[in-house]
Amino acid sequence: MKKNIDIGFLVRENIRKLKPYSSARDEFKGKADIFLDANENPYPNYLRSGSTGEDRSEPPMNRYPDPLQSQLKEAIGKRMSLQPKKIFLGNGSDEAIDLLLRAFCEPGQDRALICSPTYGMYKVSAGINDVQLIDVPLTQDFQPDIPSLQKAILDYSPKLIFLCSPNNPTGNAMDKEAVEAILKASTGLVIIDEAYSDFAPDKSFLDSTEEWPQLVVLKTFSKAWGMAGLRLGMAVGCEEVIDILNKIKPPYNLSSIVQEVALEQISECGPESEIGEIIAERNRLRESLTQMEGVLEVFPSDANFLLVRFRNSEEVFNKLRDQGIVVRDRSSYVKDALRITVGTPQENQALLYQIESIFTPNFSIH
Ligand SMILES: *Cc1c(COP(=O)(O)O)cnc(C)c1O
């Protein structure tokens, strides 16, 4: 049986009582031709030489952007079958992580929970906000440890539980049954970070936000969508939680340019064909690496990267770097492990060649 949760009770008292900043663009709702309400420069795009400001494909940069990004939310909602009011948009999903901590965790008092090894930003963000972090490590096969989690929830009543699925850096998605057990046990919000779920859409928990008001799903346009430089991420949850995030975000957290470019990209065809290619390359890389001398283990992946354990990960890391190939050293998270992002077929080929040459004496004369 699912539990009802009182969001108003979970949120910090000062946030519940906060009267948010109301911008000029928030307060005026009607239609008008003359805007003298926001102290803007009336001359559009004067910085761009030759621009008349009448080119409709460019946002008028002299005007403040829509603080609630309604057009973009409409387009994302259509694409992902979501109601716009269930969507929060942020300057990367990292902004949502920070705002969730700030909204729900009283500094120096409330706790959040993570399951290591996982994405490092939860810990950094909790540290910045002076929120104590409880760590309940994943099991050997990188799944949530349900009995330990149930005990930790009883002992610490964490306001937020961060799960990452598919998990960074291990690559695997979390089991549905395990996540449901956590949702049932939790006394606070459960955040599932789905930065990589476009690579395993059938394992997404996005639809479950309808059923569970305590569930918040994070998504990003930085990975599969290829827009890391744009900085656009989202949180999807019940209207009450989303309203709280909107209330405390900086009023203009997404620039006109970000909204315009994202709208264009999202309205066009998505990255499906690239995703297919990346998955095929990931499987090919995994197969090749598994057979290599010096490779101890290649973990299964639902994402666009592989976590690989080497006989001597430090040597592999350094030799790859010397050849101009940068991978991520995750040996402090998982013993001897490097995290390797799937690149283009040429990049992957170069990677395999270099690794092979490390473990095969006299490889270069072949
Ligand atoms: C890359 C990544 C993010 C960051 O997303 P941004 O939208 O670029 O801030 C969030 N979570 C995980 C697990 C990631 O790997």
Side-chain angles (χ1 to χ4, degrees):
M1 246 247 321
K2 77 168 195 235
K3 205 171 31 190
N4 247 338
I5 196 131
D6 185 349
I7 305 294
F9 172 78
L10 278 182
V11 72
R12 288 169 65 201
E13 196 182 344
N14 64 313
I15 302 293
R16 188 172 55 235
K17 290 182 179 162
L18 179 84
K19 195 173 170 339
Y21 176 74
S22 184
S23 70
R25 290 300 112 87
D26 281 321
E27 289 185 359
F28 180 76
K29 296 285 185 227
K31 234 181 133 51
D33 297 320
I34 301 178
F35 286 95
L36 305 176
D37 58 347
N39 299 349
E40 296 149 335
N41 184 323
Y43 303 105
N45 302 351
Y46 79 98
L47 284 172
R48 296 192 200 170
S49 56
S51 172
T52 59
E54 281 162 18
D55 181 350
R56 295 275 223 86
S57 69
E58 292 177 10
M61 281 202 286
N62 61 322
R63 298 296 177 191
Y64 279 106
D66 173 5
L68 286 174
Q69 308 107 9
S70 46
Q71 242 188 315
L72 182 52
K73 281 179 188 167
E74 191 83 27
I76 292 173
K78 216 179 246 172
R79 177 125 209 161
M80 299 184 181
S81 309
L82 289 169
Q83 292 170 278
K85 64 182 183 193
K86 293 188 62 187
I87 302 174
F88 164 83
L89 294 179
N91 181 359
S93 51
D94 285 349
E95 184 176 24
I97 295 169
D98 176 64
L99 290 181
L100 283 161
L101 282 159
R102 280 207 270 164
F104 290 95
C105 299
E106 200 62 49
Q109 181 184 318
D110 289 334
R111 300 177 178 96
L113 188 151
I114 60 163
C115 300
S116 67
T118 192
Y119 185 48
M121 207 53 205
Y122 314 132
K123 193 173 181 178
V124 172
S125 228
I128 292 169
N129 289 294
D130 193 20
V131 173
Q132 190 193 338
L133 209 54
I134 310 296
D135 184 7
V136 179
L138 296 171
T139 59
Q140 286 236 301
D141 53 353
F142 301 136
Q143 287 295 330
D145 176 349
I146 296 302
S148 302
L149 277 164
Q150 285 166 335
K151 184 172 185 311
I153 289 167
L154 283 178
D155 290 348
Y156 301 106
S157 315
K159 283 283 191 78
L160 305 177
I161 296 177
F162 286 99
L163 296 170
C164 187
S165 178
N167 187 40
N168 179 1
T170 61
N172 62 296
M174 300 295 139
D175 289 341
K176 200 167 191 286
E177 299 72 37
V179 170
E180 278 176 1
I182 296 168
L183 280 162
K184 277 183 192 141
S186 174
T187 50
L189 297 186
V190 177
I191 322 294
I192 304 185
D193 186 340
E194 294 196 346
Y196 300 97
S197 69
D198 297 293
F199 299 102
D202 51 328
K203 296 180 181 176
S204 170
F205 292 93
L206 203 57
D207 291 342
S208 308
T209 56
E210 287 297 330
E211 193 185 340
W212 301 89
Q214 60 268 63
L215 173 62
V216 177
V217 172
L218 305 181
K219 295 186 74 78
T220 179
F221 292 87
S222 298
K223 306 284 160 60
W225 280 83
M227 294 191 256
L230 200 64
R231 307 309 300 136
L232 179 62
M234 62 196 268
V236 178
C238 73
E239 205 178 339
E240 247 183 307
V241 171
I242 297 308
D243 283 350
I244 291 166
L245 298 182
N246 282 327
K247 180 165 138 174
I248 66 169
K249 78 180 180 69
Y252 305 112
N253 63 330
L254 294 191
S255 75
S256 318
I257 317 258
V258 170
Q259 296 189 43
E260 185 83 5
V261 173
L263 190 61
E264 243 168 62
Q265 293 293 315
I266 285 155
S267 308
E268 292 187 2
C269 59
E272 282 79 15
S273 69
E274 276 120 326
I275 290 173
E277 168 135 344
I278 289 167
I279 290 173
E281 276 296 296
R282 178 193 73 202
N283 296 341
R284 186 178 76 90
L285 259 185
R286 182 160 194 263
E287 206 157 293
S288 304
L289 285 165
T290 306
Q291 289 163 11
M292 270 186 194
E293 188 67 24
V295 171
L296 299 176
E297 189 164 10
V298 187
F299 293 100
S301 172
D302 296 302
N304 66 335
F305 58 84
L306 290 169
L307 188 72
V308 186
R309 290 187 58 231
F310 291 92
R311 212 167 49 208
N312 187 350
S313 65
E314 198 182 335
E315 185 192 349
V316 174
F317 180 88
N318 290 335
K319 291 208 164 158
L320 286 176
R321 185 198 52 203
D322 293 345
Q323 297 302 319
I325 298 176
V326 193
V327 297
R328 193 90 152 122
D329 182 2
R330 297 286 86 172
S331 59
S332 61
Y333 290 61
V334 175
K335 194 171 169 342
D336 304 318
L338 303 180
R339 192 193 69 196
I340 303 174
T341 306
V342 179
T344 63
Q346 294 83 342
E347 290 170 338
N348 302 332
Q349 208 49 47
L351 171 94
L352 288 172
Y353 178 88
Q354 292 302 340
I355 294 176
E356 185 99 61
S357 74
I358 293 166
F359 291 109
T360 316
N362 308 320
F363 180 72
S364 55
I365 55 169
H366 286 255

